[in-house]
Amino acid sequence: MITVTEATATAGALKRLSDEGVSIWLDDLSRKRIESGNLAELVENKNVVGVTTNPSIFQAAIGSGEGYEEQLTDLAVRGVTVDEAVRMMTTADVRAAADILRGVYDATDGRDGRVSIEVDPRLAHETAATIAEAKQLAWLVDRPNVMIKIPATKAGLPAITEVIGLGISVNVTLIFSLERYREVMDAYLAGLEKAAAKGLDLATIHSVASFFVSRVDSEIDKRLTVLGTEEALALKGKAALANARLAYEAYEEVFAGERWTALSGAHANKQRPLWASTGVKDPAYKDTLYVADLVAPGTVNTMPEATLNATADHGEITGDTVTGGYDRARADLAAVEALGISYDEVVQQLEDEGVAKFEVAWNDLLATVTKSLDSKGVDAE
Protein backbone atom coordinates (compact mmCIF):
# COMPACT_ATOMS: atom_id res chain seq x y z
CA MET A 1 0.00 0.00 0.00
CA ILE A 2 1.41 3.41 -1.00
CA THR A 3 1.29 5.97 1.79
CA VAL A 4 0.14 9.55 1.22
CA THR A 5 3.73 10.79 1.64
CA GLU A 6 5.08 8.28 -0.88
CA ALA A 7 2.30 9.06 -3.34
CA THR A 8 3.03 12.79 -3.10
CA ALA A 9 6.75 12.20 -3.68
CA THR A 10 6.27 9.96 -6.71
CA ALA A 11 3.57 12.14 -8.25
CA GLY A 12 5.71 15.30 -8.45
CA ALA A 13 7.07 14.93 -11.97
CA LEU A 14 3.90 13.27 -13.17
CA LYS A 15 1.77 16.10 -11.82
CA ARG A 16 4.04 18.65 -13.49
CA LEU A 17 3.66 16.73 -16.74
CA SER A 18 -0.13 16.79 -16.37
CA ASP A 19 -0.03 20.49 -15.50
CA GLU A 20 1.80 21.12 -18.79
CA GLY A 21 -1.21 19.72 -20.65
CA VAL A 22 0.11 16.19 -21.25
CA SER A 23 -2.34 13.37 -20.57
CA ILE A 24 -0.57 10.32 -19.10
CA TRP A 25 -1.88 7.01 -20.39
CA LEU A 26 -0.57 3.58 -19.43
CA ASP A 27 0.61 1.41 -22.33
CA ASP A 28 -0.35 -1.90 -20.73
CA LEU A 29 -3.30 -3.92 -19.47
CA SER A 30 -3.89 -7.34 -17.96
CA ARG A 31 -6.50 -9.15 -15.89
CA LYS A 32 -4.06 -9.21 -12.97
CA ARG A 33 -3.53 -5.44 -13.18
CA ILE A 34 -7.30 -4.92 -13.08
CA GLU A 35 -8.20 -7.41 -10.35
CA SER A 36 -5.30 -6.56 -8.04
CA GLY A 37 -6.36 -2.93 -7.90
CA ASN A 38 -3.10 -1.85 -9.52
CA LEU A 39 -4.77 0.07 -12.36
CA ALA A 40 -7.03 1.94 -9.94
CA GLU A 41 -3.96 2.74 -7.83
CA LEU A 42 -2.11 4.19 -10.83
CA VAL A 43 -5.11 6.37 -11.61
CA GLU A 44 -5.29 7.48 -7.99
CA ASN A 45 -1.58 8.03 -7.32
CA LYS A 46 0.30 8.42 -10.61
CA ASN A 47 -1.86 10.70 -12.74
CA VAL A 48 -2.77 7.92 -15.18
CA VAL A 49 -5.87 9.02 -17.10
CA GLY A 50 -6.04 6.45 -19.89
CA VAL A 51 -4.93 3.01 -21.08
CA THR A 52 -3.73 1.73 -24.43
CA THR A 53 -3.48 -1.88 -25.50
CA ASN A 54 -2.14 -3.66 -28.56
CA PRO A 55 -1.82 -7.26 -29.76
CA SER A 56 1.61 -7.64 -28.12
CA ILE A 57 0.25 -6.47 -24.75
CA PHE A 58 -2.61 -8.97 -24.87
CA GLN A 59 -0.30 -11.75 -26.03
CA ALA A 60 1.87 -11.19 -22.95
CA ALA A 61 -1.09 -10.88 -20.58
CA ILE A 62 -3.22 -13.80 -21.76
CA GLY A 63 -0.16 -15.87 -22.62
CA SER A 64 0.78 -15.80 -18.94
CA GLY A 65 -2.60 -17.36 -18.13
CA GLU A 66 -2.81 -15.44 -14.88
CA GLY A 67 -6.38 -14.45 -14.11
CA TYR A 68 -7.87 -16.03 -17.23
CA GLU A 69 -8.28 -19.65 -16.12
CA GLU A 70 -11.95 -19.51 -15.13
CA GLN A 71 -12.99 -17.68 -18.27
CA LEU A 72 -10.96 -20.02 -20.46
CA THR A 73 -12.69 -23.01 -18.86
CA ASP A 74 -16.13 -21.49 -19.49
CA LEU A 75 -15.22 -20.69 -23.09
CA ALA A 76 -13.94 -24.23 -23.64
CA VAL A 77 -17.14 -25.76 -22.27
CA ARG A 78 -19.14 -23.57 -24.64
CA GLY A 79 -17.02 -24.78 -27.56
CA VAL A 80 -16.30 -21.32 -28.92
CA THR A 81 -13.79 -20.68 -31.69
CA VAL A 82 -10.36 -19.40 -30.75
CA ASP A 83 -11.08 -16.03 -32.38
CA GLU A 84 -14.23 -15.63 -30.32
CA ALA A 85 -12.42 -16.67 -27.15
CA VAL A 86 -9.68 -14.08 -27.67
CA ARG A 87 -12.22 -11.36 -28.36
CA MET A 88 -14.26 -12.30 -25.26
CA MET A 89 -11.15 -12.10 -23.06
CA THR A 90 -9.69 -8.92 -24.50
CA THR A 91 -12.99 -7.03 -24.57
CA ALA A 92 -13.71 -8.13 -20.98
CA ASP A 93 -10.42 -6.58 -19.88
CA VAL A 94 -11.06 -3.37 -21.80
CA ARG A 95 -14.60 -3.14 -20.42
CA ALA A 96 -13.34 -3.56 -16.84
CA ALA A 97 -10.58 -0.98 -17.38
CA ALA A 98 -13.11 1.42 -18.90
CA ASP A 99 -15.24 1.09 -15.78
CA ILE A 100 -12.23 1.90 -13.58
CA LEU A 101 -11.54 5.00 -15.67
CA ARG A 102 -15.16 6.09 -16.01
CA GLY A 103 -14.76 8.75 -13.32
CA VAL A 104 -11.90 10.34 -15.25
CA TYR A 105 -13.97 10.20 -18.44
CA ASP A 106 -16.87 11.97 -16.79
CA ALA A 107 -14.66 14.58 -15.11
CA THR A 108 -12.92 15.49 -18.39
CA ASP A 109 -16.04 15.46 -20.59
CA GLY A 110 -14.72 12.45 -22.48
CA ARG A 111 -11.29 13.86 -23.24
CA ASP A 112 -9.52 11.30 -21.06
CA GLY A 113 -10.54 8.20 -19.15
CA ARG A 114 -10.13 6.32 -22.43
CA VAL A 115 -9.21 2.67 -23.01
CA SER A 116 -8.08 1.59 -26.47
CA ILE A 117 -8.50 -1.78 -28.16
CA GLU A 118 -7.13 -2.62 -31.60
CA VAL A 119 -8.84 -4.18 -34.58
CA ASP A 120 -7.49 -7.57 -35.61
CA PRO A 121 -4.01 -6.75 -37.02
CA ARG A 122 -4.54 -9.26 -39.81
CA LEU A 123 -7.04 -6.79 -41.29
CA ALA A 124 -4.56 -3.91 -41.55
CA HIS A 125 -4.77 -3.83 -45.34
CA GLU A 126 -8.51 -4.46 -45.65
CA THR A 127 -10.69 -1.38 -45.38
CA ALA A 128 -14.16 -2.94 -45.26
CA ALA A 129 -13.15 -5.63 -42.77
CA THR A 130 -11.48 -3.03 -40.54
CA ILE A 131 -14.69 -0.96 -40.47
CA ALA A 132 -16.78 -4.02 -39.62
CA GLU A 133 -14.35 -5.06 -36.89
CA ALA A 134 -14.32 -1.57 -35.38
CA LYS A 135 -18.12 -1.53 -35.19
CA GLN A 136 -18.12 -4.99 -33.61
CA LEU A 137 -15.52 -4.06 -31.00
CA ALA A 138 -17.39 -0.90 -30.03
CA TRP A 139 -20.54 -2.99 -29.61
CA LEU A 140 -18.77 -5.72 -27.62
CA VAL A 141 -17.04 -3.39 -25.17
CA ASP A 142 -20.20 -1.27 -24.92
CA ARG A 143 -18.63 1.58 -22.96
CA PRO A 144 -18.65 5.25 -24.03
CA ASN A 145 -14.98 5.63 -23.10
CA VAL A 146 -13.63 2.95 -25.41
CA MET A 147 -11.43 3.95 -28.33
CA ILE A 148 -11.01 1.65 -31.30
CA LYS A 149 -7.46 1.46 -32.63
CA ILE A 150 -7.07 1.46 -36.40
CA PRO A 151 -3.62 1.29 -38.04
CA ALA A 152 -2.57 4.19 -40.25
CA THR A 153 -2.04 2.05 -43.32
CA LYS A 154 -3.31 3.21 -46.70
CA ALA A 155 -6.29 0.89 -46.26
CA GLY A 156 -6.78 2.18 -42.73
CA LEU A 157 -7.28 5.82 -43.79
CA PRO A 158 -10.76 5.43 -45.35
CA ALA A 159 -11.69 3.13 -42.45
CA ILE A 160 -10.81 5.92 -40.01
CA THR A 161 -13.08 8.33 -41.88
CA GLU A 162 -15.97 5.89 -41.97
CA VAL A 163 -15.70 4.84 -38.30
CA ILE A 164 -15.42 8.43 -37.07
CA GLY A 165 -18.40 9.22 -39.31
CA LEU A 166 -20.40 6.61 -37.38
CA GLY A 167 -19.67 8.45 -34.14
CA ILE A 168 -17.12 5.92 -32.84
CA SER A 169 -14.01 7.37 -31.18
CA VAL A 170 -10.74 6.20 -32.77
CA ASN A 171 -7.11 5.86 -31.75
CA VAL A 172 -5.11 5.85 -34.98
CA THR A 173 -1.99 3.73 -34.46
CA LEU A 174 1.33 2.95 -36.13
CA ILE A 175 2.03 6.45 -37.49
CA PHE A 176 5.68 6.98 -38.35
CA SER A 177 5.83 9.53 -41.16
CA LEU A 178 4.87 13.19 -41.31
CA GLU A 179 3.12 12.71 -44.63
CA ARG A 180 1.00 9.86 -43.29
CA TYR A 181 0.22 11.87 -40.18
CA ARG A 182 -1.23 14.65 -42.30
CA GLU A 183 -3.32 12.04 -44.14
CA VAL A 184 -4.56 10.76 -40.77
CA MET A 185 -5.65 14.23 -39.68
CA ASP A 186 -7.40 14.68 -43.03
CA ALA A 187 -9.18 11.33 -42.55
CA TYR A 188 -10.33 12.45 -39.12
CA LEU A 189 -11.69 15.77 -40.37
CA ALA A 190 -13.47 13.96 -43.21
CA GLY A 191 -15.02 11.63 -40.64
CA LEU A 192 -16.23 14.54 -38.55
CA GLU A 193 -17.78 16.08 -41.65
CA LYS A 194 -19.60 12.79 -42.33
CA ALA A 195 -20.81 12.66 -38.73
CA ALA A 196 -22.02 16.25 -38.93
CA ALA A 197 -23.93 15.49 -42.14
CA LYS A 198 -25.74 12.69 -40.27
CA GLY A 199 -26.66 15.04 -37.46
CA LEU A 200 -24.43 13.35 -34.88
CA ASP A 201 -23.17 15.30 -31.87
CA LEU A 202 -19.52 16.01 -32.69
CA ALA A 203 -18.76 16.80 -29.05
CA THR A 204 -19.08 13.07 -28.24
CA ILE A 205 -16.45 11.98 -30.80
CA HIS A 206 -12.80 11.92 -29.75
CA SER A 207 -9.60 10.76 -31.42
CA VAL A 208 -5.87 10.51 -30.85
CA ALA A 209 -3.16 9.97 -33.45
CA SER A 210 -0.46 7.63 -32.14
CA PHE A 211 2.87 8.85 -33.49
CA PHE A 212 5.58 6.28 -32.75
CA VAL A 213 8.84 7.59 -31.35
CA SER A 214 11.58 5.24 -30.13
CA ARG A 215 11.45 2.90 -33.11
CA VAL A 216 12.50 5.80 -35.36
CA ASP A 217 15.70 6.27 -33.36
CA SER A 218 16.33 2.54 -33.23
CA GLU A 219 16.31 2.20 -37.02
CA ILE A 220 18.08 5.46 -37.90
CA ASP A 221 20.67 5.06 -35.13
CA LYS A 222 21.48 1.62 -36.50
CA ARG A 223 22.18 3.11 -39.90
CA LEU A 224 24.19 5.99 -38.43
CA THR A 225 26.31 3.48 -36.50
CA VAL A 226 27.07 1.59 -39.70
CA LEU A 227 28.29 4.83 -41.30
CA GLY A 228 30.43 5.37 -38.21
CA THR A 229 31.68 8.85 -39.04
CA GLU A 230 31.91 11.53 -36.38
CA GLU A 231 29.17 13.46 -38.15
CA ALA A 232 26.90 10.40 -38.29
CA LEU A 233 27.43 9.43 -34.66
CA ALA A 234 26.68 12.98 -33.52
CA LEU A 235 23.16 12.62 -34.96
CA LYS A 236 22.25 9.53 -32.94
CA GLY A 237 19.22 10.00 -30.72
CA LYS A 238 17.98 13.09 -32.57
CA ALA A 239 15.76 11.79 -35.37
CA ALA A 240 12.84 10.52 -33.28
CA LEU A 241 12.46 13.74 -31.32
CA ALA A 242 12.79 15.81 -34.49
CA ASN A 243 10.14 13.71 -36.23
CA ALA A 244 7.71 14.03 -33.32
CA ARG A 245 8.25 17.76 -32.95
CA LEU A 246 7.53 18.32 -36.62
CA ALA A 247 4.39 16.22 -36.21
CA TYR A 248 3.26 18.62 -33.51
CA GLU A 249 3.95 21.53 -35.84
CA ALA A 250 1.70 19.86 -38.42
CA TYR A 251 -0.97 19.38 -35.75
CA GLU A 252 -0.86 23.08 -34.85
CA GLU A 253 -1.18 24.02 -38.51
CA VAL A 254 -4.09 21.71 -39.36
CA PHE A 255 -6.08 22.54 -36.24
CA ALA A 256 -5.81 26.26 -36.89
CA GLY A 257 -7.06 26.04 -40.47
CA GLU A 258 -10.41 27.01 -41.99
CA ARG A 259 -11.64 23.44 -42.29
CA TRP A 260 -11.13 22.88 -38.59
CA THR A 261 -12.64 26.23 -37.66
CA ALA A 262 -15.95 25.19 -39.24
CA LEU A 263 -15.97 21.90 -37.30
CA SER A 264 -14.90 23.59 -34.10
CA GLY A 265 -17.96 25.77 -34.34
CA ALA A 266 -20.00 22.54 -34.18
CA HIS A 267 -18.21 21.61 -30.93
CA ALA A 268 -15.84 19.08 -32.49
CA ASN A 269 -12.75 17.92 -30.58
CA LYS A 270 -9.21 18.19 -31.87
CA GLN A 271 -7.48 14.92 -32.67
CA ARG A 272 -4.66 14.99 -30.14
CA PRO A 273 -1.14 13.78 -30.96
CA LEU A 274 -0.24 10.75 -28.83
CA TRP A 275 3.42 9.86 -28.32
CA ALA A 276 3.66 6.07 -28.54
CA SER A 277 6.60 3.71 -28.18
CA THR A 278 8.09 5.98 -25.52
CA GLY A 279 10.11 3.32 -23.74
CA VAL A 280 13.79 3.95 -24.48
CA LYS A 281 15.41 1.13 -26.45
CA ASP A 282 19.04 2.31 -26.16
CA PRO A 283 20.41 2.14 -22.59
CA ALA A 284 22.79 4.98 -23.47
CA TYR A 285 19.82 7.38 -23.47
CA LYS A 286 17.93 8.78 -20.48
CA ASP A 287 15.08 6.45 -19.63
CA THR A 288 12.73 9.45 -19.60
CA LEU A 289 13.98 10.90 -22.90
CA TYR A 290 10.74 10.48 -24.85
CA VAL A 291 8.70 11.96 -22.00
CA ALA A 292 10.70 14.96 -20.77
CA ASP A 293 11.73 16.01 -24.29
CA LEU A 294 8.23 15.77 -25.79
CA VAL A 295 6.22 17.98 -23.46
CA ALA A 296 3.59 20.05 -25.27
CA PRO A 297 0.04 21.12 -24.45
CA GLY A 298 -2.79 19.01 -25.78
CA THR A 299 -0.75 15.83 -26.21
CA VAL A 300 -0.96 12.32 -24.78
CA ASN A 301 2.06 10.26 -23.72
CA THR A 302 1.30 6.56 -23.39
CA MET A 303 4.02 4.93 -21.30
CA PRO A 304 4.95 1.38 -20.40
CA GLU A 305 5.02 1.02 -16.62
CA ALA A 306 8.82 1.15 -16.45
CA THR A 307 8.82 4.56 -18.14
CA LEU A 308 5.97 5.77 -15.94
CA ASN A 309 7.91 4.76 -12.82
CA ALA A 310 11.15 6.30 -14.11
CA THR A 311 9.37 9.59 -14.77
CA ALA A 312 7.81 9.54 -11.31
CA ASP A 313 11.17 8.75 -9.71
CA HIS A 314 13.56 11.12 -11.47
CA GLY A 315 11.81 12.76 -14.43
CA GLU A 316 12.77 16.38 -15.03
CA ILE A 317 9.77 18.22 -16.44
CA THR A 318 10.90 21.73 -17.36
CA GLY A 319 7.96 22.93 -19.41
CA ASP A 320 7.19 22.84 -23.13
CA THR A 321 10.06 21.11 -24.95
CA VAL A 322 8.42 20.89 -28.38
CA THR A 323 7.15 24.23 -29.70
CA GLY A 324 9.85 26.54 -30.87
CA GLY A 325 12.14 23.67 -31.81
CA TYR A 326 10.89 23.15 -35.33
CA ASP A 327 13.84 24.68 -37.23
CA ARG A 328 16.28 22.55 -35.25
CA ALA A 329 14.14 19.48 -35.91
CA ARG A 330 14.12 20.13 -39.66
CA ALA A 331 17.87 20.62 -39.62
CA ASP A 332 18.43 17.32 -37.79
CA LEU A 333 16.31 15.32 -40.24
CA ALA A 334 17.95 17.08 -43.18
CA ALA A 335 21.39 16.17 -41.79
CA VAL A 336 20.36 12.52 -41.60
CA GLU A 337 19.11 12.62 -45.21
CA ALA A 338 22.34 14.31 -46.31
CA LEU A 339 24.24 11.24 -45.10
CA GLY A 340 22.28 9.06 -47.52
CA ILE A 341 19.70 7.71 -45.05
CA SER A 342 16.29 7.91 -46.70
CA TYR A 343 13.57 9.17 -44.39
CA ASP A 344 10.81 7.80 -46.64
CA GLU A 345 12.45 4.38 -46.74
CA VAL A 346 12.87 4.24 -42.96
CA VAL A 347 9.30 5.24 -42.09
CA GLN A 348 7.80 2.83 -44.62
CA GLN A 349 9.96 0.03 -43.26
CA LEU A 350 8.84 0.84 -39.72
CA GLU A 351 5.17 0.81 -40.71
CA ASP A 352 5.56 -2.55 -42.45
CA GLU A 353 7.44 -4.00 -39.48
CA GLY A 354 4.92 -2.58 -37.01
CA VAL A 355 1.98 -4.23 -38.76
CA ALA A 356 3.92 -7.49 -39.10
CA LYS A 357 4.96 -7.56 -35.42
CA PHE A 358 1.39 -7.09 -34.23
CA GLU A 359 0.20 -9.81 -36.60
CA VAL A 360 2.83 -12.21 -35.26
CA ALA A 361 1.84 -11.38 -31.67
CA TRP A 362 -1.84 -11.96 -32.51
CA ASN A 363 -1.10 -15.31 -34.15
CA ASP A 364 0.99 -16.32 -31.12
CA LEU A 365 -1.93 -15.37 -28.88
CA LEU A 366 -4.34 -17.43 -30.98
CA ALA A 367 -1.99 -20.41 -30.74
CA THR A 368 -1.71 -20.08 -26.96
CA VAL A 369 -5.46 -19.82 -26.49
CA THR A 370 -6.07 -22.74 -28.87
CA LYS A 371 -3.82 -24.91 -26.70
CA SER A 372 -5.61 -23.81 -23.53
CA LEU A 373 -9.07 -24.41 -24.98
CA ASP A 374 -8.07 -27.86 -26.23
CA SER A 375 -6.70 -28.90 -22.85
CA LYS A 376 -9.73 -27.58 -20.97
CA GLY A 377 -12.08 -29.11 -23.48
CA VAL A 378 -10.62 -32.54 -22.69
CA ASP A 379 -10.90 -31.88 -18.94
CA ALA A 380 -14.52 -30.79 -19.30
CA GLU A 381 -15.43 -34.09 -20.92
Side-chain angles (χ1 to χ4, degrees):
M1 178 65 70
I2 295 180
T3 67
V4 174
T5 302
E6 289 172 329
T8 301
T10 60
L14 298 175
K15 183 180 186 304
R16 288 194 295 275
L17 192 60
S18 299
D19 289 345
E20 289 292 337
V22 179
S23 292
I24 300 169
W25 291 8
L26 177 71
D27 192 28
D28 191 53
L29 187 64
S30 67
R31 189 73 50 88
K32 179 182 178 183
R33 192 182 288 283
I34 292 165
E35 294 182 344
S36 68
N38 172 263
L39 178 58
E41 187 177 273
L42 294 177
V43 173
E44 181 70 22
N45 296 322
K46 288 194 173 177
N47 289 61
V48 170
V49 293
V51 170
T52 50
T53 67
N54 62 46
S56 298
I57 284 170
F58 280 127
Q59 195 278 329
I62 298 173
S64 74
E66 195 166 1
Y68 298 93
E69 287 300 311
E70 182 178 350
Q71 189 177 15
L72 275 166
T73 299
D74 290 345
L75 291 166
V77 170
R78 287 176 51 211
V80 304
T81 66
V82 63
D83 288 276
E84 183 181 355
V86 167
R87 275 308 179 211
M88 290 301 101
M89 288 187 286
T90 56
T91 54
D93 282 356
V94 169
R95 189 179 308 112
D99 288 342
I100 291 169
L101 284 152
R102 182 57 187 267
V104 176
Y105 170 83
D106 291 338
T108 60
D109 293 325
R111 180 180 175 85
D112 286 311
R114 294 284 178 171
V115 184
S116 298
I117 184 169
E118 191 153 345
V119 297
D120 186 329
R122 296 171 298 181
L123 306 177
H125 302 295
E126 300 178 35
T127 301
T130 292
I131 295 167
E133 172 91 345
K135 291 161 63 177
Q136 175 75 356
L137 285 175
W139 178 82
L140 277 172
V141 175
D142 192 27
R143 294 295 185 271
N145 48 334
V146 70
M147 265 189 172
I148 308 304
K149 291 180 81 172
I150 297 176
T153 57
K154 279 293 187 184
L157 294 172
I160 293 160
T161 294
E162 187 63 29
V163 173
I164 289 291
L166 294 171
I168 298 171
S169 294
V170 172
N171 176 340
V172 184
T173 188
L174 291 175
I175 307 171
F176 295 94
S177 81
L178 295 167
E179 179 182 0
R180 184 58 52 83
Y181 178 44
R182 286 185 178 274
E183 292 174 337
V184 165
M185 289 187 284
D186 182 72
Y188 174 62
L189 295 179
L192 289 177
E193 289 160 351
K194 274 180 169 278
K198 293 174 185 173
L200 299 181
D201 182 1
L202 300 191
T204 66
I205 305 171
H206 288 258
S207 183
V208 294
S210 297
F211 202 85
F212 278 55
V213 184
S214 66
R215 295 187 195 182
V216 174
D217 269 345
S218 294
E219 181 57 35
I220 289 182
D221 282 1
K222 181 171 66 177
R223 299 181 184 212
L224 291 170
T225 300
V226 169
L227 291 175
T229 64
E230 184 177 344
E231 182 183 11
L233 298 178
L235 287 168
K236 289 181 66 175
K238 294 185 177 181
L241 292 175
N243 201 36
R245 286 168 178 159
L246 293 178
Y248 192 80
E249 181 187 38
Y251 157 77
E252 289 184 308
E253 179 186 320
V254 169
F255 289 98
E258 290 183 9
R259 190 178 180 192
W260 166 250
T261 300
L263 290 164
S264 179
H267 307 293
N269 300 290
K270 292 180 180 179
Q271 181 187 57
R272 290 183 291 168
L274 178 151
W275 310 131
S277 184
T278 56
V280 172
K281 305 290 192 294
D282 189 333
Y285 300 154
K286 294 183 303 181
D287 53 3
T288 60
L289 176 66
Y290 303 123
V291 177
D293 286 23
L294 286 176
V295 177
T299 59
V300 179
N301 195 307
T302 184
M303 311 178 201
E305 190 169 19
T307 304
L308 178 71
N309 289 338
T311 302
D313 180 66
H314 53 265
E316 297 179 8
I317 307 304
T318 58
D320 186 337
T321 50
V322 173
T323 59
Y326 305 142
D327 288 343
R328 179 71 263 168
R330 268 187 284 277
D332 285 341
L333 288 186
V336 169
E337 285 264 12
L339 293 176
I341 297 173
S342 168
Y343 174 86
D344 290 340
E345 179 189 322
V346 167
V347 293
Q348 186 59 56
Q349 177 183 320
L350 289 172
E351 179 187 308
D352 293 342
E353 289 176 350
V355 172
K357 285 177 181 176
F358 281 166
E359 186 171 344
V360 167
W362 195 253
N363 286 330
D364 287 346
L365 174 57
L366 293 174
T368 298
V369 174
T370 297
K371 187 175 179 180
S372 296
L373 291 174
D374 287 347
S375 67
K376 292 178 185 306
V378 171
D379 292 340
E381 293 173 358

